[in-house]
Amino acid sequence: MHAMSYARVGDVASALAEGADPDSRFLAGGTTEVDMLRIGVARERRLIDINDLPLNTIEDLPGGGLRLGALARMSDVAATPSVRERFPMLVQALELGASAQLRNMASMGGNMMQRVRCGYFREAGMPCNKREPGSGCAAQGGFHRGHAVLGTSEHCFATHPSDVAVALVALDAVIHLQGRYGERAMPLEDFFLQPGDAPEREHPIEHGELITAIEVPAAPVARTSLYWKVRDRESYEFALVSAAVAATVTNGVIREVRLALGGVATRPWRARAAEQMLTGGPAISDAFEAAASAELAPAVPHPQNAFKIELAKRTIVRVLERVSAA
Amino acid sequence: MTTTLIGQPVTRVDGHAKVTGAAKYTAEISLPGMRHAVIAGSEIPAGRITGIDKSRAMAEPGVLAVLTHEDLPKVATQPVLTLSLAGTVAHGQSFFPMQDPVIHYAGQPVAIVVGETLDAATRGAELLDVTYERTESITVIDEGRDRSYVPEKILAGLAPGEMGRGDVAAGLAAAELTVEATFTFSANHQNPLEMSASVASWDDGQLTLWDATHGPTATQMTVASLLGIPASRIRVITRFVGGSFGAKAMIWAHPTLAAMTAQIMHRPIKLALTREQMFTGCGLREDNEQTITLGAAADGRLTAIRHEKLSITSAYDDWAEPALSGSGELYACDNFAAVYHLIKGNTMTPTFMRGPGETAGLAVLECAMDELAERAGLDPVELRVRNHADVDPVSGRPWSSKGLKECYERGAELIGWGDRDPRPGMRRDGDWLIGMGMATAIYPVYPLMNPQRARARLYADGTAVIQTAASDIGTGAATVLTQIAAEGLGLPLEMVRVEYGDTSLPFLAASVGSTGSTAGGNAVHLAATGLREQLVAQAVQDEGSPLHGADPELVDVVDGVMVGPSGSESYGEMLGRNFVPETEYLGTYQHRVDDEHALLNFGAQFAEVAVDAALGVVRVRRMAGVFAPGRVLNQKTARSQLMGGMIWGLSQALLEASHMDPRFGRWANPSLGDYLVPVNADVPEVMVETVEVDDPFINPLGIKGIGEIGMVGMAGAIANAVYNATGRRVRSFPITIESLL
Ligand SMILES: Cc1cc2nc3c(=O)[nH]c(=O)nc-3n(C[C@H](O)[C@H](O)[C@H](O)COP(=O)(O)OP(=O)(O)OC[C@H]3O[C@@H](n4cnc5c(N)ncnc54)[C@H](O)[C@@H]3O)c2cc1C
Ligand code: SF4
């Protein structure tokens, strides 16, 4: 790791002023950032520690929504009673992520910005378009069991690793940003870019722009919700496939459904095709299977990750069966 | 002996130091003036170095030196692969790096960067510009399948490349039932929590080396031979070791590289491997393919076993994990043949990993036995009992002790084997299919090749010190040695301290192949009982002693007090009266070659698994292991060892895999984030028991070792349970979700 300087800032204005330095990076919980510095993927020479900023609140919004400060810790969000009551899938996605120690450090804003787990991205000297644009993609024809089948391009097909972002995308969350020239907000779904021909660009965020909060609009449907994570070991591993689902079923008919997938796509994947097919239809296995197949129809398999297509379909069916039985 | 300390569940003597952080591991040793060395490894798997540009590295603040093959001295003797079991040198491979520009495997050390700090040295290594000329490489079996050969010998010449007895073709022709199947195993790396490290310091031509190893004496002799200096000028210290599982059983290049660097720099040097370097610095369990053929009569009795293995070895050694011998020893079968096939490839020489050999070989044999049981319409336990080897099928000799049938019986009881439905896919619990499987475990009892020593010293204040060179790799050795010494001397535990892990103490071979307790335990037993006899003999001859004239046979020692028929006094009183400050005895244990008995360790293992019927996820629900390892020295540490072995077996069956990317010839997942080992949530109820077998032949303490046997049968039992749950025979390990979809 190279030598760097460090600053600890106490308010947003100073963070933005410091962040103007093009050779700087923000440090929140550090659970991604320190790794990136250690393995030489992050090369900036100044760290701006933002942990003292007043952005760690977890607020209930009138009407049943939530506002999560960017520095709220994953463990604190998961432990908040109103979150547990209104958004079970958010809590499950948090608690099935990382480990207890990591969740105590990791912030919500940092979670949105975490980097892919592709081994070639993390190994200096390997061809990787995301790390060294134009150098190629070693995962193609290489080891890619964990890689994505949806939202891929020939330039990159690394999976977006976050769990909680999947649940948030299903909930139509909105992300709030603040830069030197003002504040803006956008649907969280738009905050994650597909690799396309520029896999190095993962978010529509400017250098030095700060995530301040994530807002979750009220969603009564989320009271019956579920986050399901399939992985080789029981804990402390990223998803091979995951699904966040919320549904309201009355008289065997799906009135409203939210579905998003993790572990299979280059970004938290809102399953809109499936949602559309399911809404207003019967809550039966055949319908679940048809919706799952439609969602996975555009999937692009590679030799080692082809199984994820079938696994994702079965996971979708499983979660839909579960929530509609609830 | 009146005390019964041996066998008691005594708490680890080093437990407090370990949990409080007071225990210092090798990489935590810091010496005045010490500098840090970091290895830069080859980025290519085959070819040669065409240039090393040091300028960017040297320009980094704090970088003191960059050493390459042009700077390093030549080794005094070319290393020749020698097993640490031999108790002498323990070269992990017949190759020493940084002697010339030739590259045999990725990660091979090509330079050493020395820095004021670890960070500076690490940064320097990142900035080093090495250019290579790459040639074709072989790093996976498929690339070299057509070039395989049958080696004359494997295991450093200790085992044949082919073996057998009887006539397998005839046995198969006579068979009414046959099973033939091919299995594949991923490569594995041992991944102990503590990474390997060495600290070297020269003083007036004397080298002191702190080294994380199974055998300080092995490090001493190996480094001496490579540096070309007498062993008497090297002292190796190994106080605490944070696990090894084979990674530290042989001596690899880094202690010698640390010593060479310290000599060049005129400074103490610390050289620690990174996690990633643990994948290319300490050997591995090679990925392999095994094909087994069983022939049996209709009643399940085996008529033939053929077992073959194909794997990659290094360019310069014929290494194969000895996976096949177990198939010839476990069951009564007249016809047996086994062949190792090797491919020379671009890897370092593979090495031991917990349960070496038997762990991979028995998984195959025991899965095939499960298939045979089904064909024969027999319960898997019954099939094994029918094929029980009453005498050693290899030598025809009786066993020194066995206990296997008792293990089957008790294990079946513990897991509730009676509830198992022999028809696969019949038991369900919600989304989960439930199944049960079992397998036999055996592990060799390796003979110790040279005298093993320990010294017992008693002070006039009544306390004792036991000294022996062995290291405690985390097994609890220091604790059981304390128990054995206290019992032998007739002292309470707190009066005995064990000093270990230092070559200035009496010789003990590396504790490998489950021999640690045999070597250390018997040497300490002989030292302690010898000293006790010496002290009693002195007392009965001492006219001033109340024991004077007593028959030594009738003298007992309780809490340091010699109690004779007509009087008693403590060791201390006698020594004090005679102005003797301390007295010593050197115990020497020499393994006695037993021509009459066959030695082997036995156990039976059972598993209940749940497999998500739709999603293919496998979770182990319960495991039971019952073993007959001879005398148990400490019920607590033994249970932990056996349980740890069983969890290792679970890990082998379901999780652990090192993935090679043959295009680069490099491991694709060299981190604990991507090389999966079980977490607590994966570990179910683990039931561990031992059955008592009295073994008067094996060694004075009657012990067979417990380091490996716990692991051996577990993967087979789990794979068989997965079959029972799902009806699917998965023949590649680890068993993954995709193989069950
Ligand atoms: C071993 C391991 C296992 C894990 N397993 C999981 C898992 O199963 N599921 C899962 O979802 N996650 C998992 N994670 C990822 C973890 O959740 C993230 O690392 C964490 O959420 C990042 O948050 P942080 O506060 O530590 O961010 P940091 O590491 O401090 O920062 C990460 C990035 O975000 C930027 N950043 C941080 N805060 C802001 C802000 N407010 N505005 C703008 N930029 C910002 C930083 O500059 C940096 O680039 C795992 C991580 C590890 C190390
Ligand atoms: S998948 Fe993406 S991150 Fe991985 S090597 Fe290819 S470009 Fe790099």
Side-chain angles (χ1 to χ4, degrees):
Chain A
M1 182 174 141
H2 55 280
M4 34 189 345
S5 62
Y6 168 91
R8 190 161 184 134
V9 292
D11 55 68
V12 170
S14 326
L16 295 176
E18 288 276 0
D21 178 351
D23 207 10
S24 70
R25 295 176 72 89
F26 293 133
L27 177 74
T31 61
T32 288
E33 182 62 23
V34 174
D35 261 8
M36 293 299 109
L37 289 167
R38 271 212 191 118
I39 61 181
V41 171
R43 306 211 179 114
E44 286 81 354
R45 297 191 164 263
R46 187 161 176 79
L47 263 189
I48 306 162
D49 185 334
I50 57 172
N51 285 292
D52 289 346
L53 302 189
L55 297 176
N56 60 356
T57 50
I58 301 164
E59 288 167 72
D60 288 344
L61 297 180
L66 279 178
R67 186 182 167 92
L68 308 171
L71 288 168
R73 305 294 149 172
M74 288 169 70
S75 49
D76 291 334
V77 176
T80 303
S82 57
V83 183
R84 300 189 80 85
E85 188 191 322
R86 296 179 204 163
F87 302 100
M89 70 181 181
L90 203 53
V91 173
Q92 290 160 11
L94 284 164
E95 290 183 340
L96 292 172
S99 67
Q101 294 93 327
L102 281 161
R103 295 194 297 269
N104 286 337
M105 290 295 289
S107 65
M108 294 301 291
N111 192 300
M112 300 304 111
M113 298 284 285
Q114 65 176 287
R115 309 301 303 276
V116 298
R117 311 304 298 190
C118 173
Y120 303 100
F121 170 71
R122 286 165 184 259
E123 178 78 47
M126 287 287 174
C128 170
N129 290 326
K130 195 182 268 300
R131 183 167 32 76
E132 298 282 351
S135 63
C137 170
Q140 284 187 34
F143 183 65
H144 55 252
R145 175 173 182 256
H147 281 56
V149 292
L150 290 169
T152 62
S153 78
E154 58 179 303
H155 303 286
C156 178
F157 65 124
T159 303
H160 193 277
S162 176
D163 288 299
V164 69
V166 174
L168 288 168
V169 158
L171 290 166
D172 290 331
V174 172
I175 190 162
H176 291 258
L177 306 172
Q178 189 168 349
R180 267 169 303 147
Y181 307 110
E183 297 180 35
R184 58 185 177 132
M186 67 177 82
L188 183 63
E189 201 182 348
D190 297 343
F191 186 69
F192 300 100
L193 303 177
Q194 284 184 193
D197 59 4
E200 72 282 5
R201 188 164 158 76
E202 295 176 343
H203 307 284
I205 190 171
E206 302 303 323
H207 180 85
E209 205 174 9
L210 202 58
I211 302 171
T212 51
I214 297 165
E215 265 186 35
V216 188
V221 64
R223 288 189 184 245
T224 319
S225 68
L226 184 65
Y227 186 79
W228 193 285
K229 187 169 176 181
V230 182
R231 48 184 164 175
D232 300 294
R233 71 179 167 196
E234 182 66 16
S235 176
Y236 202 21
E237 193 192 1
F238 291 92
L240 284 170
V241 170
S242 71
V245 67
T248 308
V249 179
T250 43
N251 302 326
V253 174
I254 301 172
R255 305 288 162 195
E256 187 182 356
V257 62
R258 305 283 187 87
L259 181 65
L261 303 176
V264 288
T266 54
R267 59 186 180 120
W269 190 262
R270 182 74 181 263
R272 294 201 187 274
E275 285 181 4
Q276 223 162 18
M277 283 178 68
L278 291 163
T279 308
I284 55 170
S285 295
D286 284 353
F288 302 158
E289 277 164 27
S293 292
E295 192 60 50
L296 272 299
V300 178
H302 286 261
Q304 292 175 352
N305 69 357
F307 74 98
K308 283 190 170 187
I309 298 176
E310 183 60 27
L311 185 61
K313 290 185 197 168
R314 295 189 192 184
T315 307
I316 293 172
V317 173
R318 170 70 54 84
V319 293
L320 287 167
E321 281 173 355
R322 282 294 163 98
V323 285
S324 52
Chain B
M1 271 187 245
T2 52
T3 60
T4 49
L5 283 169
I6 294 181
Q8 291 304 307
V10 171
T11 296
R12 281 169 185 267
V13 294
D14 52 3
H16 189 267
K18 282 184 170 171
V19 299
T20 55
K24 272 216 168 31
Y25 293 82
T26 301
E28 295 176 294
I29 304 284
S30 195
L31 303 175
M34 187 183 80
R35 297 293 180 257
H36 298 262
V38 166
I39 290 175
S42 169
E43 289 164 30
I44 60 159
R48 58 194 297 118
I49 301 168
T50 52
I52 300 184
D53 180 353
K54 303 178 180 178
S55 55
R56 283 203 307 147
M58 287 303 294
E60 177 72 13
V63 170
L64 301 172
V66 175
L67 308 176
T68 71
H69 61 277
E70 287 170 355
D71 307 303
L72 221 61
K74 298 285 172 264
V75 290
T77 25
Q78 279 306 316
V80 175
L81 173 67
T82 312
L83 302 193
S84 37
L85 264 174
T88 60
V89 294
H91 299 293
Q93 51 180 351
S94 305
F95 169 70
F96 193 83
M98 293 183 64
Q99 300 288 297
D100 59 40
V102 180
I103 300 295
H104 295 289
Y105 56 93
Q108 174 186 323
V110 297
I112 293 171
V113 181
V114 186
E116 295 277 354
T117 60
L118 176 60
D119 288 334
T122 304
R123 184 72 188 135
E126 284 164 16
L127 292 172
L128 196 63
D129 294 303
V130 186
T131 47
Y132 303 92
E133 182 187 296
R134 188 180 162 176
T135 52
E136 249 180 61
S137 59
I138 295 180
T139 52
V140 293
I141 287 177
D142 278 339
E143 289 177 316
R145 201 175 280 285
D146 55 343
R147 302 189 206 172
S148 74
Y149 64 97
V150 177
E152 199 175 312
K153 299 266 187 190
I154 58 160
L155 273 190
L158 290 188
E162 272 183 280
M163 64 188 128
R165 59 176 178 267
D167 181 344
V168 168
L172 286 174
E176 287 155 287
L177 301 167
T178 53
V179 171
E180 179 165 329
T182 297
F183 293 76
T184 59
F185 291 81
S186 284
N188 288 158
H189 284 86
Q190 305 94 338
N191 274 312
L193 218 44
E194 182 208 22
M195 276 96 63
S196 297
S198 308
V199 178
S201 176
W202 290 88
D203 182 14
D204 198 18
Q206 289 281 130
L207 172 65
T208 306
L209 252 182
W210 285 260
D211 190 35
T213 173
H214 289 232
T217 49
T219 300
Q220 178 192 30
M221 285 180 269
T222 306
V223 174
S225 92
L226 292 168
L227 294 182
I229 62 171
S232 55
R233 288 224 242 133
I234 304 181
R235 177 179 175 200
V236 179
I237 303 171
T238 307
R239 190 59 214 280
F240 294 101
V241 179
S244 161
F245 315 110
K248 300 161 185 162
M250 300 283 262
I251 309 306
W252 305 100
H254 55 271
T256 307
L257 291 175
M260 288 174 167
T261 307
Q263 206 164 26
I264 293 171
M265 301 302 295
H266 302 288
R267 291 273 196 181
I269 289 290
K270 170 150 53 185
L271 197 172
L273 303 193
T274 62
R275 176 60 62 192
E276 187 172 345
Q277 289 172 341
M278 291 299 287
F279 282 75
T280 52
C282 317
L284 70 152
R285 168 174 286 149
E286 68 273 21
D287 60 330
N288 64 89
E289 257 180 43
Q290 297 180 44
T291 301
I292 194 160
T293 313
L294 299 182
D299 65 358
R301 272 175 236 278
L302 290 164
T303 57
I305 302 172
R306 177 160 48 221
H307 195 167
E308 307 201 19
K309 174 176 178 233
L310 170 64
S311 59
I312 295 186
T313 184
S314 62
Y316 34 77
D317 286 314
D318 285 339
W319 175 277
E321 225 199 342
L324 305 182
S325 44
S327 289
E329 287 171 305
L330 177 46
Y331 297 117
C333 178
D334 293 337
N335 307 305
F336 168 65
V339 189
Y340 293 95
H341 302 265
L342 291 177
I343 300 165
K344 293 255 183 235
N346 297 98
T347 170
M348 69 187 313
T349 302
T351 197
F352 302 110
M353 181 160 156
R354 194 172 194 173
E358 276 62 24
T359 269
L362 251 66
V364 166
L365 174 65
E366 291 298 274
C367 286
M369 286 295 278
D370 203 61
E371 293 190 41
L372 180 61
E374 195 178 35
R375 299 267 169 89
L378 285 175
D379 180 274
V381 177
E382 170 58 24
L383 175 71
R384 285 159 175 91
V385 172
R386 279 195 193 177
N387 286 290
H388 184 267
D390 297 329
V391 297
D392 175 20
V394 180
S395 63
R397 294 179 198 157
W399 302 106
S400 67
S401 65
K402 192 156 187 180
L404 179 57
K405 285 183 181 164
E406 294 85 331
C407 292
Y408 288 138
E409 203 171 308
R410 182 63 187 142
E413 219 167 84
L414 284 174
I415 200 88
W417 188 249
D419 298 340
R420 174 180 179 271
D421 192 322
R423 296 163 304 164
M426 297 306 289
R427 280 178 66 198
R428 215 178 161 112
D429 174 10
D431 296 326
W432 301 95
L433 294 164
I434 310 296
M436 273 192 211
M438 60 82 57
T440 315
I442 56 173
Y443 196 73
V445 177
Y446 287 112
L448 292 156
M449 300 190 185
N450 27 42
Q452 307 292 316
R453 296 188 214 285
R455 179 163 43 230
R457 179 189 302 142
L458 187 91
Y459 290 94
D461 64 8
T463 63
V465 166
I466 300 292
Q467 298 179 320
T468 188
S471 74
D472 180 343
I473 51 171
T475 56
T479 309
V480 298
L481 296 185
T482 308
Q483 288 172 264
I484 293 167
E487 173 145 344
L489 280 162
L491 288 176
L493 274 179
E494 20 346 315
M495 302 287 271
V496 179
R497 197 167 60 83
V498 175
E499 286 178 1
Y500 58 97
D502 188 335
T503 54
S504 55
L505 306 177
F507 175 87
L508 209 65
S511 64
V512 293
S514 290
T515 62
S517 294
T518 303
N522 285 297
V524 167
H525 171 69
L526 295 175
T529 52
L531 180 57
R532 178 176 164 279
E533 279 164 26
Q534 182 176 301
L535 286 158
V536 169
Q538 199 179 335
V540 298
Q541 282 164 26
D542 180 351
E543 290 181 1
S545 170
L547 288 110
H548 182 244
D551 177 355
E553 293 289 316
L554 301 178
V555 177
D556 201 1
V557 185
V558 182
D559 285 348
V561 178
M562 297 175 280
V563 185
S566 53
S568 64
E569 75 169 333
S570 70
Y571 289 147
E573 281 163 343
M574 180 186 72
L575 293 180
R577 184 173 58 252
N578 291 297
F579 301 101
V580 177
E582 47 100 323
T583 184
E584 294 186 340
Y585 186 87
L586 185 67
T588 301
Y589 166 61
Q590 173 79 60
H591 174 79
R592 192 177 59 85
V593 177
D594 182 341
D595 291 330
E596 282 155 33
H597 296 96
L599 316 180
L600 199 63
N601 210 338
F602 299 94
Q605 298 183 268
F606 295 77
E608 183 180 73
V609 305
V611 183
D612 188 309
L615 304 181
V617 172
V618 183
R619 296 290 180 252
V620 177
R621 289 206 166 167
R622 294 184 304 139
M623 301 196 281
V626 183
F627 307 93
R631 189 162 178 200
V632 171
L633 298 173
N634 178 324
Q635 282 158 19
K636 200 180 206 173
T637 53
R639 187 180 133 78
S640 299
Q641 272 286 79
L642 293 166
M643 184 188 292
M646 290 170 70
I647 295 165
W648 265 68
L650 179 162
S651 189
Q652 178 202 17
L654 301 176
L655 294 169
E656 287 186 51
S658 299
H659 299 284
M660 172 56 68
D661 185 330
R663 300 167 307 164
F664 302 100
R666 285 161 68 166
W667 296 108
N669 61 331
S671 80
L672 287 185
D674 299 311
Y675 182 91
L676 301 182
V677 297
V679 295
N680 273 321
D682 292 296
V683 176
E685 188 184 349
V686 187
M687 296 171 275
V688 186
E689 284 192 13
T690 51
V691 301
E692 295 253 345
V693 289
D694 187 22
D695 195 324
F697 306 109
I698 201 151
N699 51 49
L701 284 171
I703 57 182
K704 290 183 172 180
I706 49 172
E708 338 265 352
I709 186 86
M711 177 171 182
V712 174
M714 215 59 247
I718 290 172
N720 292 337
V722 168
Y723 174 75
N724 182 240
T726 63
R728 296 172 99 137
R729 289 269 175 216
V730 181
R731 295 200 178 87
S732 64
F733 291 92
I735 297 171
T736 52
I737 286 174
E738 53 267 45
S739 58
L740 289 164
L741 279 184

